[in-house]
Amino acid sequence: MNLSSFSLNPNDPADVVLLKAVDGKRISPSEALVLYKDGDFLKIQMVARYLREKVRPHTEASYTMFRVVNYTNYCNVECNFCSFMDEIGNGKGYVLSKEDILQKMDYAVEEGADQMFLQGGVYPELPFEYYLDVIRTVKAKYPKMHIRAFSPVEVINLETITGKPLREVLQILKEVGLDSVPGAGAEILTERMRQIISPKKASVAEWVRAMETCHEVGLRGSANIVFGSEETEEEVIEHLQVVRDLQDRTGGFLSFIPWTFQPQTKRFTVRPVPTHEYLKVLGICRIFLDNIPHIETSVMVLGKGVGQLALYSGADDISSVVIEENVLRSFGLKTEKEARKFLQEGGFRPVRRNLDYEEVSSPLEIV
């Protein structure tokens, strides 16, 4: 594609940054900030879509199938934006038994899921053996089930309760059947915002250490950003820089997902993010994160309309059909049939994929 294809002005500072990206050159954090502050979001969409083409044709979009299992809602981190957690010791929360979890997975398998996303609150009173037993139990019945589990703050808790080095904890989990770890709990990776979000949560350095160690032992996964509160534009770019630098070292992130905060509590300020800003940030993620192949959009959080636009703005995947979600209000797709219909109505060939973004067959495909 040439300059005229994008209608970019070589005298406009933001357009100069986009031209650099079109040429396959890495943009700097300061250049990404120029895009956020002054870039035309339609031009950013256009360039992001062009870069998406290098990963997957614009006529296709992928999805996957997993069951979210929230094994406990007891938590001592107390994030200000979260309404899911219960205070430890109040007697109102829950801990799922192995049998409860297996029952949920039986239903998930009937619905076509081949992945489990296991996550919960940080509950130091749960012994390490509980986590191992859950993974063993699911793997024993469903050996091919991909188990994606435990955010960085959860694995740091396991390091603390066992007294073992994090690398050893992760290797034990991997040996019993853990397949990948999500880069969740990032929200905004700046110390100022982490103090606002949750002073008790893992620091930026701890989050990075946890994810870097996961990648080093072969537990790959995703990373995300959640914006739409008191963060500045500079902090959004700083977050992306932390993730890109880590990816340069490990190559362990397969995808990146930009989300927006939802109003859940009165303790946390949520700023409504207009659609054009979300799409601008998503496009900047595609352009700036040149070392992460896939950009996902969360239909669950953002809804179907924005989800379809996102697939024309740099995203190549809608993440997952979410069979159960307790932490966030879900606008998502509950069945594989819904997901495929959603993509087809948006003008895309639905591609079911595994965690490694390899295409897998769907029982719903019409030959």
Side-chain angles (χ1 to χ4, degrees):
M1 285 187 162
N2 55 34
L3 175 62
S4 60
S5 301
F6 292 96
S7 300
L8 298 175
N9 180 359
N11 297 313
D12 180 277
D15 284 9
V16 169
V17 176
L18 292 174
L19 284 167
K20 185 176 180 180
V22 170
D23 287 340
K25 298 173 183 176
R26 170 169 282 194
I27 71 169
S28 68
S30 61
E31 289 171 326
L33 189 59
V34 168
L35 292 182
Y36 201 166
K37 287 180 176 290
D38 302 318
D40 182 324
F41 94 94
L42 291 173
K43 293 179 179 180
I44 291 170
Q45 279 181 281
M46 188 164 48
V47 171
R49 186 185 182 204
Y50 167 72
L51 296 175
R52 174 213 202 276
E53 289 279 315
K54 298 177 183 296
V55 175
R56 190 178 294 283
H58 71 271
T59 54
E60 298 178 356
S62 58
Y63 70 96
T64 189
M65 291 283 292
F66 62 65
R67 173 74 186 249
V68 177
V69 177
N70 301 123
Y71 58 89
T72 184
N73 68 338
Y74 283 125
C75 188
N76 66 4
V77 177
E78 300 175 358
C79 296
N80 287 330
F81 64 85
C82 180
S83 61
F84 171 69
M85 62 83 63
D86 265 312
E87 186 177 350
I88 294 171
N90 72 0
K92 298 178 182 178
Y94 70 86
V95 177
L96 295 179
S97 67
K98 293 181 295 183
E99 292 73 23
D100 292 333
I101 293 172
L102 199 58
Q103 187 175 37
K104 287 178 179 289
M105 292 313 300
D106 289 341
Y107 173 78
V109 170
E110 290 175 5
E111 292 294 307
D114 56 8
Q115 299 175 45
M116 176 173 77
F117 189 2
L118 183 66
Q119 61 179 358
V122 175
Y123 187 19
E125 295 177 25
L126 269 183
F128 188 42
E129 193 61 30
Y130 169 87
Y131 301 87
L132 302 180
D133 280 351
V134 167
I135 295 172
R136 287 193 195 104
T137 299
V138 174
K139 281 287 188 179
K141 186 166 186 180
Y142 300 111
K144 295 183 179 179
M145 180 69 62
H146 183 104
I147 299 180
R148 183 185 191 191
F150 314 134
S151 66
V153 69
E154 289 172 87
V155 299
I156 289 171
N157 171 61
L158 297 180
E159 178 186 41
T160 301
I161 67 173
T162 61
K164 299 177 184 293
L166 182 58
R167 178 182 291 271
E168 184 178 344
V169 169
L170 293 168
Q171 287 171 333
I172 293 170
L173 289 167
K174 189 177 177 183
E175 286 169 6
V176 299
L178 180 63
D179 296 297
S180 65
V181 174
E187 285 83 49
I188 298 288
L189 290 171
T190 69
E191 292 305 339
R192 186 188 76 88
M193 279 304 297
R194 296 189 87 66
Q195 287 300 309
I196 292 171
I197 291 167
S198 176
K200 298 180 182 180
K201 204 162 195 175
S203 67
V204 175
E206 288 173 321
W207 188 93
V208 169
R209 177 178 71 90
M211 292 312 304
E212 190 158 14
T213 309
C214 287
H215 295 172
E216 287 172 353
V217 301
L219 293 168
R220 300 193 296 171
S222 60
N224 62 35
I225 186 171
V226 190
F227 64 104
S229 181
E230 299 176 52
E231 79 285 340
T232 64
E233 293 159 327
E234 287 82 0
E235 286 177 309
V236 169
I237 303 304
E238 184 178 342
H239 176 108
L240 298 183
Q241 181 69 51
V242 169
V243 173
R244 190 171 78 174
D245 287 349
L246 175 55
Q247 180 73 346
D248 278 344
R249 295 195 300 274
T250 68
F253 293 125
L254 297 167
S255 65
F256 187 85
I257 312 102
W259 288 7
T260 56
F261 283 110
Q262 291 184 343
Q264 295 187 58
T265 75
K266 295 180 180 179
R267 306 188 306 274
F268 189 72
T269 300
V270 173
R271 169 180 65 87
V273 176
T275 298
H276 75 272
E277 183 186 355
Y278 171 76
L279 295 175
K280 174 183 271 194
V281 170
L282 183 142
I284 291 170
C285 291
R286 169 62 77 187
I287 293 165
F288 187 79
L289 298 173
D290 56 356
N291 54 2
I292 299 180
H294 301 282
I295 302 294
E296 300 180 22
T297 184
S298 177
V299 176
M300 177 186 73
V301 173
L302 296 154
K304 295 178 182 179
V306 179
Q308 284 184 338
L309 286 173
L311 293 171
Y312 286 98
S313 307
D316 61 289
D317 186 270
I318 60 168
S319 190
S320 175
V321 174
V322 178
I323 296 175
E324 179 182 2
E325 173 56 45
N326 297 314
V327 179
L328 299 169
R329 182 174 74 252
S330 176
F331 300 103
L333 305 160
K334 306 294 186 185
T335 67
E336 185 173 8
K337 184 176 180 180
E338 281 185 68
R340 295 182 69 84
K341 181 181 178 183
F342 166 76
L343 291 174
Q344 288 166 343
E345 289 177 345
F348 302 98
R349 181 177 80 87
V351 176
R352 178 164 172 168
R353 51 91 177 173
N354 60 20
L355 184 88
D356 293 323
Y357 283 82
E358 298 164 337
E359 184 170 355
V360 297
S361 61
S362 165
L364 298 180
E365 287 175 339
I366 299 174
V367 179

